[in-house]
Amino acid sequence: YFADTGNSTVAVIDASKLDAKNYNPAETLINVGLNPQALAVSPDGSQVWVAETGPQDSASSPSSVSVISTATNKVTARWTLPGSPSQVTFAPSGQQVYVATSGGVAVYSTATRHRVAFIRGLGDPRGIAVSPDGKTVYVTGTESNELYLVSAATNRVTGTVKVGELPWQVVAAPNGKTVYVANPDSSSVSVVSTATGAVTATIAIPGDPDTLALTPDGSQLWVGARFTAKVAVISTADNSTVGSINLGDAPNAADGYAPTGIALTATPTAGS
């Protein structure tokens, strides 16, 4: 599933038919709300929730959330949500959904699709990640340059961690011990210990890094840099760079090739 922002659709592509040599694979297009920015698939694979920012012309611009049934590839629900929703994330249990807006994070029940809470005071949040045990929600505050720690039980902020400038995406390690925050305006990634709530290391990544993904086993962190159109591969064992992928061509590497999302279904090996 891909959010096609410019066409206000979600594209569905059969993964078994993906071919690196075919730049126009067969796809099914699903009409959703204006300017879909991000999406997430429920842990059981039955639903896709889509955050739709709207045109962002003014504070009153229409923005919304849509829910797609993966069985039918049809929109089964849609409702307005002010604040240009930009990110959506499921709890590991699949029972809650978190949607980031400029005003805070909306929390929904997956079963009823009713909003059960709205968490404010998060400094224009952008990225959301949930700990593997589902107890803590991590939210990046782009205005405050902080990582907010939120209790999933109470939907209240329990702590903050100062990270780099304009913290964007955030991911939690599968073992629950570490959280990684991309800081594009600092050209870095902050490594945060969940035990101490402190930054234990800062990894320098040139080119406005704002996109993150961890391999399923947590051994590699993939970092997409928007300006340079490159992906850095980091070993989480020692935070060293073990690989680099150039998505564009010099001298205008980022023209049309800036990474905005990374999904890893397995741990790649060298040369694969």
Side-chain angles (χ1 to χ4, degrees):
Y1 295 87
F2 299 88
D4 189 350
T5 305
N7 293 320
S8 293
T9 60
V10 168
V12 187
I13 299 175
D14 184 346
S16 67
K17 297 180 180 179
L18 284 175
D19 184 346
K21 297 180 181 179
N22 179 11
Y23 293 97
N24 188 27
E27 59 185 8
T28 299
L29 297 180
I30 305 170
N31 292 317
V32 292
L34 294 172
N35 296 3
Q37 181 72 20
L39 52 78
V41 181
S42 61
D44 67 2
S46 66
Q47 301 178 19
V48 178
W49 285 50
V50 188
E52 299 151 356
T53 64
Q56 302 184 55
D57 297 349
S58 68
S60 61
S61 293
S63 53
S64 55
V65 172
S66 291
V67 180
I68 297 170
S69 165
T70 60
T72 63
N73 284 331
K74 295 183 181 299
V75 174
T76 57
R78 177 183 294 139
W79 59 89
T80 59
L81 179 61
S84 301
S86 58
Q87 191 60 262
V88 55
T89 303
F90 279 89
S93 66
Q95 296 179 357
Q96 292 85 31
V97 184
Y98 300 89
V99 182
T101 75
S102 59
V105 172
V107 186
Y108 292 92
S109 163
T110 311
T112 65
R113 297 170 185 167
H114 291 164
R115 194 168 78 184
V116 296
F118 193 86
I119 309 167
R120 303 182 185 276
L122 300 176
D124 194 4
R126 171 66 195 193
I128 308 175
V130 185
S131 61
D133 62 10
K135 294 181 179 180
T136 305
V137 183
Y138 303 100
V139 184
T140 56
T142 59
E143 290 181 343
S144 60
N145 297 331
E146 290 179 311
L147 176 69
Y148 292 87
L149 283 58
V150 179
S151 166
T154 64
N155 292 313
R156 294 175 180 265
V157 176
T158 59
T160 60
V161 182
K162 201 70 175 180
V163 289
E165 296 182 13
L166 198 71
W168 208 250
Q169 287 194 5
V170 55
V171 292
N175 62 13
K177 296 181 179 180
T178 309
V179 174
Y180 300 89
V181 180
N183 312 302
D185 281 12
S186 294
S187 292
S188 68
V189 172
S190 297
V191 183
V192 180
S193 165
T194 59
T196 64
V199 174
T200 59
T202 300
I203 307 170
I205 305 286
D208 294 349
D210 61 2
T211 305
L212 300 175
L214 282 162
T215 52
D217 64 0
S219 66
Q220 295 179 3
L221 175 70
W222 286 46
V223 186
R226 179 182 295 271
F227 183 74
T228 57
K230 290 184 178 180
V231 175
V233 182
I234 308 297
S235 168
T236 58
D238 58 7
N239 298 324
S240 65
T241 301
V242 295
S244 179
I245 303 166
N246 186 9
L247 301 179
D249 298 310
N252 299 313
D255 288 354
Y257 295 97
T260 58
I262 303 172
L264 293 164
T265 59
T267 302
T269 57
S272 65

